[in-house]
Amino acid sequence: MMKLSLLGSALLLSAFLLNGCASTQPAKNTDAGSVFRYGTTAYGTAMENAGMNPHESYKGWSTLRYGVGETLFRFNDAMQPQPWLATGYEFIDDQTVKITLHDDVNFSSGNKLTGAAVKACLEDLVANHKRAADDLKLASITADGQTVTITSTEKAPALINYLCDPYGCIIDMQQGTGDDVKISGTGPYIVQSLTPTEIVLTKNTKYWGGPVKTDKVIVRSITDGDTLTMAMQSGEIDATQGLPYASLPLFANNEKFVIKTANTSRVFQACMNFTTPVLQDANVRKAIAMAIDKEKFAQVLLNGNGTPAIGPFPANMPCGGDAVHTDGYNVQKARQLLHDAGWQDSDGDGYVDKNGQNLTVRWLTYTSRQELPLLAESAQAFLKDVGIKAEVNATDNYNDFLKRGDWDLYAKAFVAAPTGDPQYYFTTHVLDSSSYNSGHYHNDRVEQLTQQLRGEFDPAQRNLLAVQIAQQLLDDNAFIYASHLKMSFVMKNNVKGFTAHPSDYYEITADLEI
């Protein structure tokens, strides 16, 4: 177990700056043609996206983010699906949709995008990707020229939204998925080399979407915030995503740099482990939730680069913000709830106890997102204020602990609405069948309402159902929703066409230009 230090990162960065290590001289470019060097914390094995095969884990995020693959539909800035590789669609009935494809798209392999190619790709996807199979619920796919007809096993009101998910990148199955470097998509870039820490991309000179403005892109995984900051200052990289919040002021109001931001649905949340005996007590769960000062976390620790969350969805969604409600931060009431549950500080050590045992919870998280160690340390302090001892385990081997059940609260970052629709979050997190129901939460009403949501086409009714489900999660204190992320891209002032998107998807595009 480890105790984290909030001052460590800031002190280390200050030392580097005082020693003059952050030169503003750009690195010499020895490559022919235009080269874009991008440093990010959002690529690597801990995020399960170190690769290009969208049919495996979260690798589709890399396929889509870095311009190798594209989906049939994509989101606009309002998170509404728009045709991309498709030109349009028509619902034949509640379970069947016919999609028409562009007739002038080729994979980077040179093979043409056809209905048969899409069929082969989606069939391989659902055969190998459990989350995609659970979302899409495909019964059959038929192809005819430049059309593909998809039939689901049940009503499919969110099918077009799901096809925007990064796992829906259409790749050439004739090239196969056995080698990440040989993945052939329809995007503006082609993979030349790939490791867990770096991707080298070259432009697709025959890209269907028009001229690609940059010849070469190098994506580097830089997980240490101070190293990332210095790389940006020294000119070693041209742009970055994931800078420590304490570093952002170094680039603000500086004519050499540009900062672009986007509010996202990425939520920092902690789920309760319902197999932990002490957390089966509703009063204890509620006391833990009420002990977390979300306002302080978002405004102080995140330097205002987050919005305090109530439920899983941000305020710009109809089912987010104050559409739901929960008891806020209240130390006195949290202490009273613990007292009512039989927990009192009988020995004066500052922690409540029962039957000679302190109330101790194991807080599991990972370090690859800078906000999560900050949340862990703040939660440790907040919980101590109400008499609960939190033992923090911040490790990128978190999956091992999840599988063994060696945790009581698990905090992570998750994009709650990557499909622009609330159904995705519920089906992945809160059902008996959910892939990420790590805490074994169960509620009969949630199961019933989510089943209704799956079959409801009317937007107003979908929103009403989503509010009811989210409210039940809050009433059960199954999750603590701390904050939603405001994502920031920092770049040199000569970088064009590089913009943060609310979906957290579309980063490297044909419009990227140095």
Side-chain angles (χ1 to χ4, degrees):
M1 305 299 177
M2 63 181 289
K3 181 169 174 63
L4 305 164
S5 172
L6 281 174
L7 297 177
S9 177
L11 290 175
L12 181 60
L13 179 59
S14 297
F16 281 130
L17 296 178
L18 288 172
N19 287 326
C21 293
S23 168
T24 58
Q25 295 300 314
K28 186 176 291 185
N29 181 4
T30 59
D31 297 290
S34 55
V35 181
F36 175 74
R37 294 175 174 85
Y38 177 42
T40 179
T41 60
Y43 173 77
T45 53
M47 279 71 68
E48 303 179 45
N49 66 354
M52 283 291 162
N53 177 9
H55 301 177
E56 183 179 342
S57 192
Y58 281 92
K59 291 183 179 181
W61 285 69
S62 297
T63 321
L64 189 55
R65 274 175 169 163
Y66 308 133
V68 173
E70 298 168 323
T71 49
L72 296 173
F73 302 89
R74 62 166 290 159
F75 293 114
N76 60 18
D77 288 344
M79 290 299 291
Q80 298 299 311
Q82 305 292 317
W84 198 3
L85 294 177
T87 60
Y89 68 93
E90 175 190 4
F91 271 97
I92 306 302
D93 56 44
D94 287 353
Q95 295 176 229
T96 305
V97 62
K98 183 178 181 179
I99 299 170
T100 304
L101 308 172
H102 278 282
D103 195 32
D104 60 348
V105 178
N106 285 349
F107 295 104
S108 59
S109 64
N111 293 325
K112 183 177 179 178
L113 176 78
T114 62
V118 172
K119 169 181 163 68
C121 178
L122 294 180
E123 286 179 341
D124 188 79
L125 169 66
V126 297
N128 292 283
H129 198 293
K130 183 181 184 302
R131 181 166 56 86
D134 290 344
D135 292 343
L136 300 174
K137 296 188 179 300
L138 300 188
S140 67
I141 308 176
T142 59
D144 182 13
Q146 292 305 111
T147 66
V148 60
T149 301
I150 300 173
T151 300
S152 297
T153 58
E154 58 185 49
K155 290 182 179 181
L159 180 61
I160 299 302
N161 295 74
Y162 279 127
L163 291 173
C164 299
D165 189 283
Y167 60 52
C169 283
I170 304 302
I171 58 175
D172 184 1
M173 294 309 301
Q174 292 187 40
Q175 291 290 101
T177 58
D179 185 340
D180 281 317
V181 176
K182 294 181 180 178
I183 294 293
S184 174
T186 62
Y189 286 91
I190 302 170
V191 181
Q192 294 301 306
S193 65
L194 183 151
T195 71
T197 58
E198 183 179 89
I199 309 169
V200 178
L201 306 159
T202 56
K203 72 177 180 181
N204 179 357
T205 58
K206 297 181 180 179
Y207 177 53
W208 71 279
V212 181
K213 296 179 180 179
T214 297
D215 297 306
K216 185 176 181 179
V217 172
I218 301 172
V219 178
R220 291 179 54 198
S221 174
I222 306 176
T223 57
D224 178 77
D226 298 320
T227 303
L228 188 61
T229 300
M230 288 186 295
M232 191 68 230
Q233 287 187 306
S234 68
E236 181 182 340
I237 55 178
D238 301 300
T240 183
Q241 186 266 336
L243 280 177
Y245 296 123
S247 298
L248 287 174
L250 298 172
F251 303 95
N253 301 316
N254 185 327
E255 63 182 11
K256 296 180 180 180
F257 302 100
V258 175
I259 300 177
K260 295 183 179 180
T261 65
N263 291 314
T264 75
S265 69
R266 186 177 293 277
V267 64
F268 303 105
Q269 65 173 40
C271 71
M272 305 278 186
N273 189 345
F274 280 76
T275 67
T276 298
V278 68
L279 294 183
Q280 293 170 11
D281 189 321
N283 278 349
V284 173
R285 295 197 307 274
K286 187 170 184 178
I288 292 173
M290 296 185 72
I292 305 300
D293 189 342
K294 301 176 183 180
E295 188 74 28
K296 184 175 182 180
F297 172 67
Q299 299 303 321
V300 178
L301 297 179
L302 301 189
N303 287 353
N305 289 282
T307 304
I310 301 174
F313 306 113
N316 63 346
M317 292 184 65
C319 54
D322 57 9
V324 293
H325 58 85
T326 188
D327 291 322
Y329 173 63
N330 191 322
V331 171
Q332 294 303 320
K333 189 170 181 179
R335 288 173 177 168
Q336 183 61 51
L337 287 167
L338 293 175
H339 182 274
D340 294 344
W343 294 93
Q344 302 181 57
D345 183 7
S346 64
D347 55 10
D349 67 349
Y351 295 108
V352 295
D353 56 80
K354 185 192 292 188
N355 301 325
Q357 297 292 321
N358 283 342
L359 178 48
T360 303
V361 294
R362 299 164 295 175
W363 185 285
L364 176 66
T365 193
Y366 49 90
T367 63
S368 51
R369 289 211 65 100
Q370 60 171 315
E371 299 87 357
L372 292 174
L374 294 175
L375 177 59
E377 185 179 5
S378 61
Q380 192 175 54
F382 294 149
L383 291 173
K384 185 177 181 180
D385 286 344
V386 300
I388 300 174
K389 184 176 184 180
E391 296 178 343
V392 172
N393 181 13
T395 172
D396 287 340
N397 294 321
Y398 62 93
N399 273 323
D400 294 338
F401 291 88
L402 283 175
K403 291 174 183 176
R404 293 198 301 267
D406 293 345
W407 62 282
D408 301 313
L409 289 101
Y410 167 50
K412 70 175 184 179
F414 191 83
V415 179
T419 64
D421 184 88
Q423 180 177 318
Y424 179 92
Y425 179 79
F426 300 137
T427 56
T428 56
H429 279 76
V430 306
L431 305 179
D432 293 341
S433 60
S434 294
S435 300
Y436 303 112
N437 186 356
S438 304
H440 304 282
Y441 169 74
H442 173 82
N443 182 287
D444 288 342
R445 184 167 181 263
V446 167
E447 297 278 337
Q448 177 188 3
L449 290 173
T450 304
Q451 186 59 35
Q452 289 180 241
L453 180 65
R454 278 175 158 158
E456 180 57 66
F457 281 81
D458 180 73
Q461 287 301 311
R462 289 183 66 79
N463 177 60
L464 177 60
L465 289 166
V467 169
Q468 291 173 333
I469 298 167
Q471 187 59 57
Q472 189 65 59
L473 299 178
L474 293 169
D475 292 345
D476 291 339
N477 290 291
F479 298 83
I480 300 170
Y481 301 103
S483 172
H484 288 100
L485 172 69
K486 182 172 75 174
M487 181 173 61
S488 296
F489 285 4
V490 178
M491 65 201 75
K492 294 177 182 176
N493 63 7
N494 66 331
V495 175
K496 309 298 180 186
F498 189 61
T499 304
H501 191 275
S503 67
D504 201 2
Y505 292 162
Y506 318 111
E507 296 185 0
I508 307 299
T509 71
D511 293 329
L512 173 66
E513 185 176 10
I514 301 290

